[in-house]
Amino acid sequence: MPLFLGLDCSTQGLSAIVLDSDAWRRTVAFEHSLEFDREFPEYGTTHGVLRNGLEVSSPPLMWAEALERMMAIVSREAGLDIGDLRAISGSGQQHGSIYVNERAASSCQALDPRRSLAKQLDGIFSRAASPIWMDESTRDQCRAIDKALGGPEATAALTGSAATERFTGPQIRKFFETDRESYARTARIHLVSSWLASLLAGTDASIDHADGSGMNLMDIRTLAWAEAALDATAPGLGVKLPALQSSWTIAGALAPYWRERYGFPPAAVIVWSGDNPCSLIGTGLVRKGWLGVSLGTSDTVFGFSATLPTPSVGSHVFASPAGGYMALLCFRNGSLAREAVRDQYRMDWESFSRALRQTPAGNGGALMLPWFDPEVTPHAPAGVHRLNLDVADAAGNVRAVVDAQMMSMANRAERLWQPCDRVIATGGASANRDILQVMADVFGAEVYRTADANAAALGAALRAYHAYELSQGRELPWEQVVSGVTDVDERGRIAPVPANVAVYRELRKRYADFERLKSGRSGVG
Ligand code: ADP
Ligand code: XUL
């Protein structure tokens, strides 16, 4: 049976899903994850990242090593007939960038199958560390870019988002400003997605329109590089960027390195995309209607739109990898904030859940703003603020962090999307039913979880399937591509409790006031 591989290089680890496909249905034949901190301790990361104040980065070589280890596992330990692999695609954490010199292209093309990948990539980087989406150090660059483009609203109208600290353009501008020599030595700037696709195909892979939307460099209407945005970012940037192409483009065949070293066939490498765009596919949200919520390292809320939603400051509009668009909100203090509370009170996830069950919806009005790290939605410096909440009350603090996260998401989602009666939850924390009950009560909507918590890897595998079929002259409707494998289990429906919905309807207003007061901003950001 034809096989399709989806990889997901996220903040904390690399995952793989192999889909087995026949004409009627697709099933998950293999799934595996590698955690960066545990598997690659020599890189010294914590939760997959290296921190230096507001600067947050990851070592790009670690991602390459993880890619190689995963490919070895898929070929040797998955128990699959790997000769049936037809196509591979992937999902990368969005916005992160990789800077390589002019030697990179030839090194990638001539990888020696007798030597490990990482060893052969030594010396190709013009910047050792890759800034990632958690980096908050580019406020000055964002101001300068917005100013050059006519203000945040104008940047949003052009690129889909106002200049945003974690987006690639401001990160590139900072690199140019602080290390001109290394910027000049940079021949190519890749996203995590396009770089890993390049390693698989042994050629310079394009950036797909969906992940390209997270750079503040692409015109969200024409889907081409926006000259004015390039000029506002750094000189000579245009020639350093890969091409932009549709999400179903074939970057090339799997390079000889992978075929000779691991016995893979010359499967098609489909351009990779960002993790949120891939999650849109992996949650089956290829048509307008329901909302997706991913509870991963970051929490995100997203939804499909056939027409261009009006870009605004504080939310993001991306091209969708299924055509059309997606709107997205990103909350930086996702799992890391939940973990901070769990660890502070020496709990495990079971006792965390018990605390949720033992406390009333709305926590008797006790509130927390859980900005353990600087927050991006709303923009706020690091700081945990409590209102009517005793820090010694362990269960109350657990309820408060989850209440806060759900109210912050729901308040903003309401403005972006029409009242929505169904939410599809995915990501690591969607395994926790008690967290999802709070989600249902706060959103006032039914919550379903995806059959597979890794919607990004699943979405990547489905994209590989769709693009492969297209290359064979079969253009499948997206509903057909996602059907079956993304169907939610109706029995797992989590219904909102009407009395709790009423409590949160009131509390959400007070939460919004508290948030406005402490974030020091009048807007909703
Ligand atoms: P990534 O953004 O790296 O892809 P994942 O979607 O894999 O992240 O989610 C990983 C996170 O899921 C972990 O950091 C952990 O905090 C969270 N998680 C896993 N199991 C549970 C659980 N039972 N309850 C709450 N959170 C959980
Ligand atoms: C979205 C964002 C994060 C990353 C990592 O804008 O910054 O969700 O994609 O998951």
Side-chain angles (χ1 to χ4, degrees):
M1 226 78 95
L3 300 175
F4 298 91
L5 171 60
L7 296 162
D8 171 36
C9 184
S10 72
T11 316
Q12 305 196 46
L14 186 107
S15 313
I17 282 185
V18 178
L19 282 182
D20 191 330
S21 160
D22 64 24
W24 306 109
R25 58 190 209 119
R26 282 148 295 293
T27 47
V28 174
F30 177 72
E31 186 159 9
H32 191 72
S33 290
L34 298 172
E35 197 189 309
F36 295 138
D37 297 357
R38 198 172 48 217
E39 302 274 340
F40 306 97
E42 61 277 21
Y43 289 98
T45 58
T46 303
H47 294 299
V49 308
L50 302 168
R51 289 169 183 262
N52 176 21
L54 293 177
E55 295 181 350
V56 186
S57 64
S58 290
L61 261 188
M62 176 179 80
W63 294 328
E65 272 210 58
L67 177 70
E68 171 145 43
R69 190 166 302 173
M70 186 60 89
M71 291 296 274
I73 290 170
V74 170
S75 69
R76 295 174 185 152
E77 295 170 27
L80 301 166
D81 187 350
I82 212 63
D84 287 340
L85 187 70
R86 298 286 193 275
I88 306 179
S89 192
S91 144
Q93 52 168 292
Q94 295 197 259
H95 322 299
S97 42
I98 291 114
Y99 301 73
V100 294
N101 57 33
E102 76 292 335
R103 280 175 43 203
S106 52
S107 302
C108 249
Q109 264 159 26
L111 290 170
D112 177 354
R114 288 164 306 184
R115 295 169 60 214
S116 79
L117 180 64
K119 286 227 161 56
Q120 300 180 68
L121 298 180
D122 226 17
I124 68 159
F125 298 101
S126 53
R127 185 179 189 178
S130 287
I132 66 148
W133 66 276
M134 296 171 90
D135 188 293
E136 280 287 295
S137 68
T138 61
R139 181 153 292 198
D140 291 348
Q141 288 74 22
C142 287
R143 289 215 177 100
I145 291 170
D146 277 341
K147 187 158 177 254
L149 293 176
E153 290 77 13
T155 310
L158 178 66
T159 70
S161 303
T164 305
E165 278 84 345
R166 66 187 188 283
F167 277 35
T168 325
Q171 295 291 340
I172 293 172
R173 183 173 169 123
K174 182 175 161 209
F175 183 48
F176 163 73
E177 285 178 358
T178 55
D179 191 353
R180 289 188 185 217
E181 244 176 70
S182 302
Y183 177 78
R185 279 192 294 109
T186 301
R188 231 339 143 245
I189 303 175
H190 273 294
L191 292 182
V192 177
S193 56
S194 61
W195 191 60
L196 293 174
S198 300
L199 293 180
L200 289 176
T203 183
D204 221 13
S206 303
I207 289 177
D208 85 311
H209 294 139
D211 213 15
S213 314
M215 300 174 80
N216 280 141
L217 295 174
M218 189 187 86
D219 184 323
I220 193 67
R221 287 180 174 76
T222 63
L223 306 182
W225 295 122
E227 287 303 328
L230 300 185
D231 291 347
T233 301
L237 179 55
V239 293
K240 297 183 196 287
L241 294 172
L244 282 165
Q245 283 187 298
S246 317
S247 309
W248 42 88
T249 305
I250 296 181
L254 200 54
Y257 179 80
W258 305 101
R259 284 141 58 183
E260 289 165 31
R261 193 167 162 92
Y262 297 106
F264 282 101
V269 178
I270 312 305
V271 292
W272 286 34
S273 190
D275 56 356
N276 291 295
C278 286
S279 292
L280 190 81
I281 308 291
T283 46
L285 298 177
V286 292
R287 288 291 164 259
K288 197 169 163 53
W290 304 327
L291 270 192
V293 174
S294 172
L295 302 175
T297 306
S298 61
D299 288 346
T300 58
V301 186
F302 48 84
F304 173 83
S305 169
T307 52
L308 182 69
T310 308
S312 65
V313 177
S315 63
H316 308 294
V317 175
F318 297 157
S320 151
Y325 301 90
M326 62 185 287
L328 175 115
L329 294 167
C330 176
F331 302 83
R332 193 169 178 278
N333 282 279
S335 279
L336 297 187
R338 291 185 285 275
E339 281 177 22
V341 171
R342 180 199 65 182
D343 296 346
Q344 187 175 348
Y345 298 100
R346 293 186 171 41
M347 294 180 173
D348 55 18
W349 288 127
E350 186 37 50
S351 39
F352 188 95
S353 290
R354 204 174 317 123
L356 285 177
R357 290 195 296 274
Q358 283 167 352
T359 45
N363 218 10
L367 294 175
M368 179 198 285
L369 299 176
W371 301 329
F372 289 83
D373 255 5
E375 182 49 67
V376 295
T377 314
H379 248 296
V384 178
H385 308 276
R386 292 179 175 84
L387 185 68
N388 306 325
L389 176 64
D390 184 351
V391 72
D393 174 6
N397 277 266
V398 168
R399 166 63 71 169
V401 68
V402 179
D403 273 3
Q405 293 179 322
M406 297 305 158
M407 289 194 281
S408 182
M409 285 194 252
N411 281 348
R412 292 175 172 83
E414 199 170 65
R415 265 167 250 156
L416 277 178
W417 293 278
Q418 296 306 316
C420 153
D421 57 357
R422 184 180 272 214
V423 178
I424 312 292
T426 187
S430 70
N432 190 317
R433 203 184 187 284
D434 297 289
I435 292 179
L436 298 194
Q437 183 64 58
V438 181
M439 185 187 285
D441 291 344
V442 174
F443 278 77
E446 291 180 343
V447 174
Y448 293 80
R449 55 184 141 193
T450 47
D452 197 300
N454 196 339
L458 180 61
L462 288 166
R463 289 183 41 251
Y465 166 67
H466 163 267
Y468 173 77
E469 290 293 312
L470 193 63
S471 75
Q472 302 300 302
R474 293 183 289 272
E475 184 167 3
L476 303 181
W478 277 98
E479 287 90 339
Q480 187 179 331
V481 173
V482 302
S483 81
V485 76
T486 66
D487 291 353
V488 291
D489 181 356
E490 296 288 334
R491 287 166 307 178
R493 179 177 77 106
I494 297 164
V497 176
N500 296 349
V501 176
V503 167
Y504 284 117
R505 200 171 297 127
E506 281 312 304
L507 195 62
R508 278 168 55 175
K509 294 181 206 144
R510 289 187 30 219
Y511 178 81
D513 290 341
F514 186 35
E515 195 185 60
R516 243 188 316 271
L517 183 75
K518 294 295 180 185
S519 65
R521 296 208 171 194
S522 50
V524 282

